[in-house]
């Protein structure tokens, strides 16, 4: 590596005008105010050091060393999802080999394969999986903007797993390319509202979660969700008339819900209206009836988001407490009416690696995730009720109610913890002892439920300490860096309130690249 000096961190327009750039993605504030196109930012590390590796390799191997051979792209990414990689040849190890022996477009093909292997979950029994519609979108000859962010995300995930600065530099360079492609697509009326553009913006948020090292990364995720919502508004209700459009909407809808719950904001009316419209039209129905379960759960969660917003604006009251009790009853009704495929069993064990008396076995990741959404909602609801009764008159009746909700909250938090072994391989043994690490997608499904369990109204130091260790696993073993930020925050006994923080207030990684 050759040192090239410290470059400016600003975008190209700000650098050329010598104006201060705040570095916000995808467009800085200066460019937004001036209504000009912001072309994103240079990869700082790649500008500091110039990679001379290829030149050295060429000299070492002689002029006959060829880097321009042709390999064909995989015809369909589904093949990388359905087939379990053998222990001696996984997407991670094959890509690390290719990274130094083949040209960049070979690496990018394998990075896409890594992405589909680790971040796509397909469960045919349900209408939803995690990014399960992406192989279809990718195989349809999607635009460069979508392919760029898939490659960048795959490279970033692999870089985290291997702790490779070289791969992370490549990921950030590809991310910069994707940002420029997104900006160009958004300015073209023919591509601004395409399926590929919408999904690319959402994947920009996923990239932030994978590479997250500071509150500004979570803020950037929230801005990408907001941008995707703006695109969905332009797409209109007609996007719900085809299967892919509905799947894209469902994914966006869930991202918007997470953002609103965390910011204590109400879910936008248009999201609620489109969700209700799809339910009425039967788009969520399946032969086994399972398709309705999750949309109904979303409706209850949207009511909870509205309640949290009302409490933020007006404070706790008898009225908001009554609403919380009503939402809690709706959640209990939901749990009592789910189809058999959502059922789970509670299993006792003798493992010293899992400090809880039992763990859960589920049929599918998606059913486990729905149950954890339910538990998270009830924990949030219980917090509102507990707050009210903790500050109200200390009558015998109110103390009994308070005691009941405190007990419920603890049980729900422990149930979230009891689901973790299923996500990590199906048994209570440590994930570090598993022959094959779980897919990274499993870690994403646990991020916010574990946070809810760790930050109950009356926190358990033991439970929170155990959850911090699970975040370490998700960050270190599964390569999802936002989990490391959660762990650091909980260790400091703080809350994630990034929307109120100074973006420059960085949370340092425990282990630098």
């Amino acid at each position: 590596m050759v040192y090239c000096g410290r470059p400016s961190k600003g975008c190209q327009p700000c650098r050329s005008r010598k104006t201060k750039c705040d570095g916000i993605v995808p467009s800085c504030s200066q460019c937004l105010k001036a209504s000009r196109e912001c072309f994103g930012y240079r990869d700082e590390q790649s500008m500091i050091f110039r990679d001379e590796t290829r030149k050295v390799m060429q000299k070492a191997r002689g002029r006959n060393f060829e880097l321009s051979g042709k390999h064909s792209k995989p015809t369909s990414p589904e093949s990388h999802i359905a087939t379990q990689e053998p222990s001696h040849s996984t997407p991670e190890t094959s890509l690390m080999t290719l990274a130094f022996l083949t040209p960049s477009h070979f690496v990018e093909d394998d990075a896409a394969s890594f992405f589909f292997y680790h971040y796509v979950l397909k469960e045919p029994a349900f209408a939803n999986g995690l990014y399960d519609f992406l192989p279809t979108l990718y195989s349809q000859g999607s635009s460069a903007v979508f392919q760029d962010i898939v490659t960048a995300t795959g490279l970033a995930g692999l870089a985290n797993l291997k702790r490779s600065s070289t791969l992370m530099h490549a990921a950030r360079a590809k991310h910069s390319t994707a940002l420029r492609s997104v900006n160009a697509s958004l300015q073209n009326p023919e591509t601004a509202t395409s399926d590929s553009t919408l999904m690319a913006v959402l994947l920009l948020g996923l990239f932030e979660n994978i590479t997250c090292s500071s509150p500004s990364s979570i803020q950037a995720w929230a801005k990408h969700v907001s941008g995707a919502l703006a695109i969905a508004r332009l797409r209109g209700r007609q996007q719900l008339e085809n299967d892919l459009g509905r799947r894209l909407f469902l994914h966006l809808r869930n991202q918007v819900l997470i953002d609103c719950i965390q910011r204590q904001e109400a879910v936008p009316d248009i999201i609620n209206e489109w969700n209700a419209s799809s339910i009425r039209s039967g788009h969520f129905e399946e032969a086994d009836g399972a398709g309705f379960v999750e949309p109904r759960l979303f409706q209850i969660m949207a009511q909870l988001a509205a309640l949290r917003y009302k409490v933020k604006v007006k404070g706790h009251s008898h009225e908001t407490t009554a609403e919380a009790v009503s939402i809690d009853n709706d959640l209990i009704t939901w749990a009592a009416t789910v189809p058999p495929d959502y059922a789970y069993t509670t299993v006792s064990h003798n493992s010293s690696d899992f400090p809880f008396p039992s763990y859960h076995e589920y049929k599918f990741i998606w059913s486990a995730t729905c149950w954890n959404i339910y538990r998270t909602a009830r924990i949030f609801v219980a917090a509102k009720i507990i707050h009210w009764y903790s500050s109200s008159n200390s009558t015998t009746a109110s103390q009994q109610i308070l005691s009941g909700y405190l007990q419920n909250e603890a049980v729900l938090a422990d149930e979230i913890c009891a689901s973790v072994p299923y996500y990590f391989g199906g048994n209570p043994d440590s994930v570090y002892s598993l022959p094959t690490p779980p897919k990274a997608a499993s870690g994403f499904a646990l991020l916010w439920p574990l946070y809810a369990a760790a930050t109950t109204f009356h926190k358990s130091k033991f439970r929170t300490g155990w959850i911090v260790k699970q975040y370490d696993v998700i960050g270190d073993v599964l390569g999802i860096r936002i989990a490391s930020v959660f762990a650091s925050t909980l260790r400091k006994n703080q809350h994630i309130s990034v929307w109120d923080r100074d973006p420059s207030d960085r949370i340092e990684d425990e282990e630098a690249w």
Side-chain angles (χ1 to χ4, degrees), residues 313-478:
V313 173
K314 298 182 179 180
H316 292 270
S317 66
H318 186 272
E319 177 188 358
T320 59
T321 304
E323 286 186 40
V325 172
S326 177
I327 292 173
D328 196 48
N329 289 334
D330 287 343
L331 288 165
I332 293 172
T333 300
W334 176 89
T337 57
V338 297
D341 276 337
Y342 282 77
Y344 63 91
T345 56
T346 301
V347 183
S348 300
H349 68 93
N350 297 316
S351 173
S352 59
D353 290 326
F354 190 65
F356 299 90
S358 60
Y359 66 96
H360 293 166
E361 288 183 348
Y362 298 84
K363 295 182 179 179
F364 303 100
I365 289 286
W366 185 244
S367 59
T369 299
C370 283
W371 278 110
N372 278 342
I373 293 172
Y374 154 83
R375 293 165 186 141
T376 299
R378 290 199 66 194
I379 287 174
F380 285 152
V381 166
K384 302 303 179 188
I385 299 171
I386 291 169
H387 186 280
W388 172 253
Y389 281 102
S390 295
S391 58
S392 63
N393 294 329
S394 183
T395 64
T396 301
S398 65
Q399 287 303 305
Q400 289 177 343
I401 294 173
L402 175 61
S403 177
Y405 277 100
L406 284 170
Q407 183 177 0
N408 288 346
E409 187 185 54
V411 169
L412 291 162
D414 284 347
E415 286 182 348
I416 290 174
C417 295
S419 74
V420 171
Y422 174 76
Y423 286 95
F424 283 176
N427 62 68
D429 294 330
S430 170
V431 69
Y432 292 101
S433 64
L434 296 176
T436 303
K439 291 186 177 183
S442 298
F444 279 107
L446 284 169
L447 287 174
W448 290 108
L450 283 177
Y451 184 73
T455 56
T456 54
F457 191 88
H458 283 177
K459 294 182 287 293
S460 161
K461 290 185 178 179
F462 166 78
R463 187 191 303 118
T464 299
W466 182 83
I467 289 173
V468 166
K469 294 179 181 178
Q470 309 319 301
Y471 278 136
D472 287 338
V473 169
I474 296 172
D476 296 338
V477 179
L478 305 187

Side-chain angles (χ1 to χ4, degrees), residues 108-176:
E108 292 180 2
D109 288 349
D110 271 21
S113 299
F114 177 89
F115 172 90
F116 287 110
Y117 177 84
H118 271 280
Y119 303 121
V120 174
L121 291 177
K122 299 191 72 173
E123 297 187 331
F126 294 99
N128 292 300
L130 182 62
Y131 300 118
D132 62 324
F133 53 90
L134 292 189
T136 300
L137 186 59
Y138 194 87
S139 62
Q140 288 177 349
S142 56
S143 66
V145 61
F146 178 63
Q147 294 176 347
D148 284 344
I149 190 58
V150 165
T151 301
T153 306
L155 284 170
L158 183 64
N160 285 340
L161 290 180
K162 296 297 181 181
R163 295 198 171 273
S164 167
S165 59
T166 301
L167 287 176
M168 183 55 74
H169 295 163
R172 294 196 181 280
K174 199 65 178 178
H175 175 255
S176 297

Side-chain angles (χ1 to χ4, degrees), residues 82-257:
T83 304
Q84 177 66 42
E85 298 288 337
S87 60
H88 63 278
S89 177
T90 64
E92 297 95 326
T93 57
S94 62
L95 182 51
M96 283 302 292
T97 302
L98 286 169
F100 295 98
L101 297 181
T102 59
S104 60
H105 66 272
F106 297 168
V107 178
E108 292 180 2
D109 288 349
D110 271 21
S113 299
F114 177 89
F115 172 90
F116 287 110
Y117 177 84
H118 271 280
Y119 303 121
V120 174
L121 291 177
K122 299 191 72 173
E123 297 187 331
F126 294 99
N128 292 300
L130 182 62
Y131 300 118
D132 62 324
F133 53 90
L134 292 189
T136 300
L137 186 59
Y138 194 87
S139 62
Q140 288 177 349
S142 56
S143 66
V145 61
F146 178 63
Q147 294 176 347
D148 284 344
I149 190 58
V150 165
T151 301
T153 306
L155 284 170
L158 183 64
N160 285 340
L161 290 180
K162 296 297 181 181
R163 295 198 171 273
S164 167
S165 59
T166 301
L167 287 176
M168 183 55 74
H169 295 163
R172 294 196 181 280
K174 199 65 178 178
H175 175 255
S176 297
T177 300
L179 282 175
R180 291 192 294 270
S181 298
V182 166
N183 286 332
S185 295
L186 291 175
Q187 294 185 27
N188 184 342
E190 295 182 359
T191 59
T193 59
S194 68
D195 293 339
S196 294
T197 300
L198 173 58
M199 195 61 231
V201 173
L202 287 168
L203 288 182
L204 287 171
L206 176 64
F207 182 91
E208 295 294 344
N209 285 338
I210 292 173
T211 61
C212 179
S213 61
S214 72
S216 62
S217 296
I218 308 180
Q219 290 173 323
W221 164 79
K223 290 178 181 178
H224 290 316
V225 172
S226 178
L229 177 58
I231 295 173
R233 290 180 185 273
L234 294 175
R235 285 161 62 90
R237 190 185 296 270
Q238 61 267 26
Q239 67 190 294
L240 304 177
E241 295 175 0
N242 65 81
D243 182 65
L244 182 56
R246 287 192 295 272
R247 305 305 289 276
L248 286 165
F249 166 70
L250 289 175
H251 184 68
L252 168 64
R253 182 203 66 180
N254 293 343
Q255 295 292 297
V256 169
L257 176 64

